[in-house]
Every structure is written in C-alpha cells, then in structure tokens.
Amino acid sequence: QVQLVESGGGLVQAGDSLSLSCAASGRTFSSYALGWFRQAPGKQREFVAGISWSGSRIYSSDSVESRFTISRDNAKNTVYLQMNNLKPEDTAVYYCAANAARRIFTSTREYDYWGQGTQVTVSS
C-alpha cells in the first residue's frame, strides 16, 4: 500500500555531513509514523530515529546522540535524516520504514513497509 524509496547515500569522510531522503507513494503519507533504521555488515538492523504522523514528536537513538535529526514534509510525502559529524561506525545501509499505528516504535517488527536502503560509507 506504501512504497518507500531512499536516496542521498554515498562515500564521505569522517566529520562530514550527509542528508538522506525517503519519498513515499501510495496511501496517504500523513497517516503513517516514519522511522530510520540502519544495518552494518554482520550486525542486526537497529533503530536510528523516528517521527510521529504529525511531526510533533521525534526520537533519536542514543547511538547517534544529537548528531542526527529526523524531519518530515507531509506536503511532499518525504521524510529526511540530516546526519552531521559522521563517524566510521555510522557506516551502514540506511532504511526508511512506515507504520500504520502512527506512533514511533524502535523495533523493526512494528513497521509495515520498508524501502530498499541506501549505502552510507564513512572513511577515517
């Protein structure tokens, strides 16, 4: 019912900034809460940040501290992840996800739809 397509990944140096975006199509975008997850080689997919359906609530994981910021533009059916001061340990495939409950969840099993991911590689 919802298709998600991530973009904006690439190869950067430690300390650089990068902005990811996720465009949605299908069912009304504002009806879903959105989350960003990442998966590094050999590791499980982990929660990065989430935003409620209205955008009034946001939550970021302790692993990224205050370096990453999530936002959404319902008029454009797009969710963003602004990443600052990137570190080598941020290297992973980044995924956006949507859930119909319209609330932020930190576990992958709570999300109904997933994008294909975009690779972010941070060199030392």
Side-chain angles (χ1 to χ4, degrees):
Q1 297 182 27
V2 175
Q3 183 177 2
L4 304 171
V5 180
E6 303 96 336
S7 62
L11 175 62
V12 298
Q13 292 181 301
D16 285 353
S17 296
L18 199 62
S19 181
L20 305 182
S21 63
C22 176
S25 62
R27 191 166 180 171
T28 304
F29 181 74
S30 61
S31 297
Y32 295 84
L34 283 303
W36 284 97
F37 292 77
R38 66 185 182 185
Q39 187 167 19
K43 299 182 66 177
Q44 291 187 317
R45 193 169 300 184
E46 66 173 354
F47 174 81
V48 176
I51 187 167
S52 65
W53 71 273
S54 66
S56 62
R57 300 283 186 178
I58 61 173
Y59 178 76
S60 297
S61 69
D62 293 338
S63 64
V64 302
E65 302 171 349
S66 298
R67 298 181 296 114
F68 294 4
T69 301
I70 188 172
S71 62
R72 68 188 296 167
D73 187 338
N74 288 346
K76 297 181 179 179
N77 286 355
T78 303
V79 61
Y80 306 92
L81 184 68
Q82 177 65 45
M83 303 183 293
N84 298 320
N85 192 25
L86 285 161
K87 305 176 184 297
E89 52 263 40
D90 295 320
T91 295
V93 176
Y94 283 72
Y95 301 88
C96 66
N99 75 75
R102 305 193 301 173
R103 297 179 63 186
I104 299 172
F105 297 97
T106 60
S107 62
T108 59
R109 62 188 178 91
E110 301 292 345
Y111 288 81
D112 304 296
Y113 305 100
W114 294 85
Q116 293 299 305
T118 184
Q119 177 71 48
V120 173
T121 302
V122 184
S123 62
S124 301

